[in-house]
């Protein structure tokens, strides 16, 4: 099915952060857009206001008539939806074109110049930074992001003239193999999703295969010293980047008085006096990668400076809710040990003389089973760790796997406790935290707004 032939689009699993971005793309194109999701959310409510027809009961009869014509309807589903889902079974039996979200993004990279950001961690921030830099420049871009950009209040950016599309390339379920990037950043390849890949070697092989998909004439911007080996087509240029070395890197880093400035060293043109709009140490390296891709596609030094200074961050990515001398409170989506490590390291750099407490909700039984010692090591950089029960997402419990595994391996001297997530609000009411960070990719974030109000009431 060609994009030009599609008149209606139906989403099985409409409310996911990535699915909703594609829904918005088709809404803006004037198509009939409808779908199913298990529960209403802030995101689904916004989509309904923008014109999407969504229902929350698994029922074929609720599928709109406009989405029942196989020759004109594209069905998009998320891998999180079970194969026996009634609506998915209906579409399959009736011969509809059914694609994963990643397949649709792959189609877009064949019709636009895809600027893709892959990696175990850092990809949401880096892709959102790059999209903001390019969108506010004369180059402009479209973008499909894995988080809500604070600059735009959305995970989707539309341009009426740019041929570029910035895409977060997700390795889960090998989804990024559908893409055909013009250029790509790879931020990291620390093993994850071993429930899908089985071994570290298979995970690294998946990234190697991804590099073969970059189109001739394009480029790969690879974090220096990754374990994986790139395998690009002839005509693809490889650049390396990192914080302190590589073709692209930072120099003259200054962290003081709540601001971060640095210079970008680049084979194209060095750029001095860059100020981070979201002054978090880890964003220096993310910014280097984002600016490298933007610069390679025509953004000027002044556009890079302006884009970085005005970058507002991503919801749930080092997302400050309160930041003053009395209290600091933030939420961070970090859910892999290396992400936790970087988040904790950045917190320690920013608040050297203050007590830092983390409330962490592990995400997935398999990830906890595979990395509990690494989680404990990363969290042990902080002063106090409060562990909630594991958020299961798509998984069933595994005997012997619980947050206790992390708890038991935290370093001596770290204050530690375990609570149920339903007890978090009462905990915040009963304590006066100095610096508090909520970590994880589960549903603990649902409590963050109320937690912020409680903390503000104590000032």
């Amino acid at each position: 099915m060609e994009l030009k032939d599609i008149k209606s689009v139906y989403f099985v699993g409409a409310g996911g952060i990535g699915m909703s971005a594609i829904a918005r793309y088709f809404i803006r194109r004037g198509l009939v857009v409808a779908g199913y999701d298990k529960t209403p959310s802030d995101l689904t409510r916004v989509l309904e206001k923008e014109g999407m027809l969504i229902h929350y009961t698994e029922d074929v009869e609720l599928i709109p008539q406009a989405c029942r014509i196989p020759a004109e309807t594209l069905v998009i589903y998320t891998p999180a939806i079970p194969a026996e889902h009634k609506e998915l079974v209906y579409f399959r039996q009736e011969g509809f074109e059914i694609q994963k979200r990643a397949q649709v993004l792959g189609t877009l990279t064949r019709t636009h110049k895809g600027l893709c950001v892959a990696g175990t961690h850092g990809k949401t921030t880096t892709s959102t930074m790059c999209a903001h830099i390019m969108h506010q420049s004369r180059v402009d871009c479209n973008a499909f992001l894995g988080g809500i950009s604070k600059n735009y209040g959305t995970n989707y950016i539309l341009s009426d003239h740019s041929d570029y599309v910035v895409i977060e390339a997700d390795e889960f379920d090998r989804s990024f193999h559908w893409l055909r990037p013009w250029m790509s950043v790879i931020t990291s390849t620390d093993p994850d999703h071993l429930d899908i890949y089985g071994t570290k070697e298979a995970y690294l092989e998946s990234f190697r295969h991804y590099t073969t998909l970059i189109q001739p004439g394009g480029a790969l911007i690879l974090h220096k010293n990754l374990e994986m080996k790139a395998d690009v087509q002839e005509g693809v240029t490889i650049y390396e980047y990192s914080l302190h070395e590589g073709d692209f890197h930072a120099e003259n880093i200054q962290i003081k008085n709540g601001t971060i400035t640095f210079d970008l060293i680049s084979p194209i043109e060095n750029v001095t006096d860059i100020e981070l709009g979201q002054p978090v140490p880890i964003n220096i390296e993310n910014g280097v990668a984002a600016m490298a891709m933007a610069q390679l596609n025509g953004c000027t030094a002044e556009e890079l400076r302006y884009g970085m200074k005005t970058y507002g961050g991503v919801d749930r990515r080092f997302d400050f809710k309160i930041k003053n001398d009395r209290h600091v409170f933030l939420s961070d989506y970090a859910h892999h040990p290396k992400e936790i490590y970087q988040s904790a390291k950045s917190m320690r750099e920013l608040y050297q003389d203050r007590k830092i407490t983390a409330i962490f909700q592990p995400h997935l039984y398999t990830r906890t089973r595979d990395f509990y010692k690494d989680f404990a090591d990363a969290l042990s950089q902080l002063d106090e760790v409060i562990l909630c029960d594991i958020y299961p997402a798509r998984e069933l419990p595994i005997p012997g796997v619980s947050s206790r595994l992390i708890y038991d391996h935290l370093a001596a001297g770290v204050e530690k406790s375990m609570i149920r997530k339903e007890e978090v609000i009462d905990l915040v009411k009963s304590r006066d935290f100095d610096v508090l960070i909520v970590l994880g990719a589960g549903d603990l974030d649902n409590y963050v707004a109320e937690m912020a109000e409680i903390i503000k009431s104590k000032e």
Side-chain angles (χ1 to χ4, degrees):
M1 181 177 285
E2 298 289 328
L3 285 177
K4 61 181 176 60
D5 299 326
I6 300 169
K7 294 183 180 178
S8 61
V9 187
Y10 191 87
F11 290 79
V12 187
I17 196 72
M19 293 281 275
S20 62
I22 300 176
R24 285 176 157 141
Y25 172 81
F26 288 113
I27 291 169
R28 291 289 293 270
R29 286 185 53 153
L31 278 65
V32 175
V33 180
Y36 157 88
D37 205 73
K38 190 173 183 179
T39 54
S41 66
D42 290 343
L43 200 47
T44 60
R45 283 185 277 272
V46 170
L47 288 171
E48 289 183 88
K49 287 181 181 178
E50 292 179 2
M52 188 173 183
L53 305 170
I54 307 178
H55 60 267
Y56 303 95
T57 302
E58 186 179 333
D59 186 349
V60 172
E61 295 304 314
L62 296 176
I63 299 171
Q65 288 299 318
C67 298
R68 292 173 177 262
I69 306 170
E72 299 178 355
T73 303
L74 173 63
V75 178
I76 304 173
Y77 75 102
T78 170
I81 294 291
E84 64 273 15
H85 189 280
K86 294 175 184 175
E87 297 181 16
L88 201 54
V89 169
Y90 163 79
F91 287 121
R92 199 179 295 119
Q93 290 176 341
E94 296 299 319
F96 282 75
E97 177 88 11
I98 303 173
Q99 295 188 6
K100 292 182 181 179
R101 167 182 173 268
Q103 290 174 265
V104 181
L105 293 178
T107 299
L108 292 177
T109 60
R110 290 171 176 83
T111 55
H112 299 279
K113 284 189 173 180
L115 307 180
C116 305
V117 181
T120 314
H121 41 83
K123 57 182 174 286
T124 299
T125 297
T126 303
S127 57
T128 307
M129 275 184 170
C130 182
H132 174 61
I133 293 168
M134 294 192 66
H135 186 60
Q136 56 76 42
S137 76
R138 57 186 170 69
V139 180
D140 203 0
C141 69
N142 302 275
F144 294 92
L145 307 169
I148 301 296
S149 163
K150 291 197 162 191
N151 288 94
Y152 307 103
T154 180
N155 55 337
Y156 169 64
I157 296 172
L158 179 67
S159 169
D160 58 5
H161 68 275
S162 179
D163 193 36
Y164 292 104
V165 56
V166 177
I167 291 175
E168 180 173 330
D170 188 2
E171 80 277 12
F172 175 72
D173 200 30
R174 297 177 174 82
S175 293
F176 61 169
H177 289 173
W178 292 102
L179 304 175
R180 297 297 180 270
W182 168 243
M183 293 188 185
S184 182
V185 167
I186 298 181
T187 62
S188 49
T189 55
D190 301 301
D192 196 10
H193 305 302
L194 296 185
D195 55 323
I196 300 294
Y197 288 99
T199 65
K200 170 184 174 180
E201 290 71 26
Y203 188 77
L204 294 174
E205 165 59 25
S206 186
F207 275 90
R208 185 207 64 79
H209 178 70
Y210 170 73
T211 65
T212 69
L213 306 176
I214 300 171
Q215 298 177 30
L220 170 61
I221 306 160
L222 194 65
H223 192 286
K224 194 172 177 63
N225 299 323
L226 296 184
E227 284 192 67
M228 63 152 289
K229 300 298 182 184
D231 185 14
V232 299
Q233 299 182 56
E234 186 175 350
V236 175
T237 304
I238 298 177
Y239 299 94
E240 289 188 324
Y241 83 96
S242 73
L243 184 60
H244 296 300
E245 52 184 349
D247 301 299
F248 296 89
H249 66 271
E251 288 186 359
N252 193 26
I253 298 169
Q254 304 288 327
I255 302 176
K256 56 186 178 182
N257 300 323
T259 64
I260 297 178
T261 59
F262 63 97
D263 300 335
L264 173 69
I265 305 304
S266 161
I268 300 168
E269 178 189 3
N270 293 346
V271 183
T272 59
D273 300 321
I274 295 161
E275 181 179 344
L276 279 182
Q278 194 192 33
V280 180
I282 186 58
N283 279 349
I284 303 171
E285 191 168 67
N286 292 332
V288 168
M291 287 188 290
M293 189 136 72
Q295 193 179 48
L296 285 168
N297 288 285
C299 289
T300 66
E302 196 51 47
E303 287 169 341
L304 295 181
R305 283 195 199 93
Y306 181 78
M308 292 299 290
K309 187 171 184 177
T310 57
Y311 171 72
V314 184
D315 278 356
R316 295 185 71 181
R317 268 66 171 190
F318 235 90
D319 188 358
F320 284 93
K321 305 298 182 182
I322 301 171
K323 189 177 182 182
N324 57 47
D325 293 338
R326 176 80 186 279
H327 295 114
V328 174
F329 176 51
L330 66 155
S331 170
D332 193 358
Y333 192 73
H335 57 281
H336 183 279
K338 287 293 180 71
E339 293 172 339
I340 300 279
Y341 175 83
Q342 291 292 353
S343 183
K345 182 173 179 286
S346 289
M347 291 295 288
R348 186 55 72 195
E349 289 181 51
L350 289 169
Y351 303 107
Q352 297 176 15
D353 303 320
R354 299 176 71 169
K355 181 179 179 181
I356 305 172
T357 301
I359 303 177
F360 176 48
Q361 180 188 40
H363 186 267
L364 298 179
Y365 291 100
T366 52
R367 187 180 282 127
T368 305
R369 176 199 64 198
D370 295 334
F371 301 118
Y372 64 88
K373 290 181 181 178
D374 298 321
F375 278 122
D377 289 344
L379 290 164
S380 291
Q381 297 179 86
L382 305 176
D383 301 299
E384 181 182 11
V385 177
I386 300 166
L387 289 163
C388 293
D389 293 335
I390 295 170
Y391 182 77
R394 57 187 178 270
E395 295 183 338
L396 295 173
I398 298 174
V401 177
S402 72
S403 298
R404 171 70 64 174
L405 289 172
I406 300 171
Y407 179 93
D408 288 343
H409 286 82
L410 289 166
V414 176
E415 295 179 40
K416 60 183 182 179
S417 57
M418 294 178 62
I419 62 172
R420 294 182 300 110
K421 70 181 179 184
E422 293 82 6
E423 299 171 326
V424 166
I425 294 299
D426 286 338
L427 175 74
V428 176
K429 287 178 179 177
S430 67
R431 295 272 303 273
D432 194 9
F433 295 101
D434 184 5
V435 179
L436 178 62
I437 179 169
V438 172
L439 293 168
D443 60 357
L444 197 58
D445 193 68
N446 295 338
Y447 297 85
V448 164
E450 187 175 355
M451 292 165 71
E453 289 305 312
I454 294 167
I455 293 170
K456 286 176 184 176
S457 70
K458 298 181 181 183
E459 295 182 349

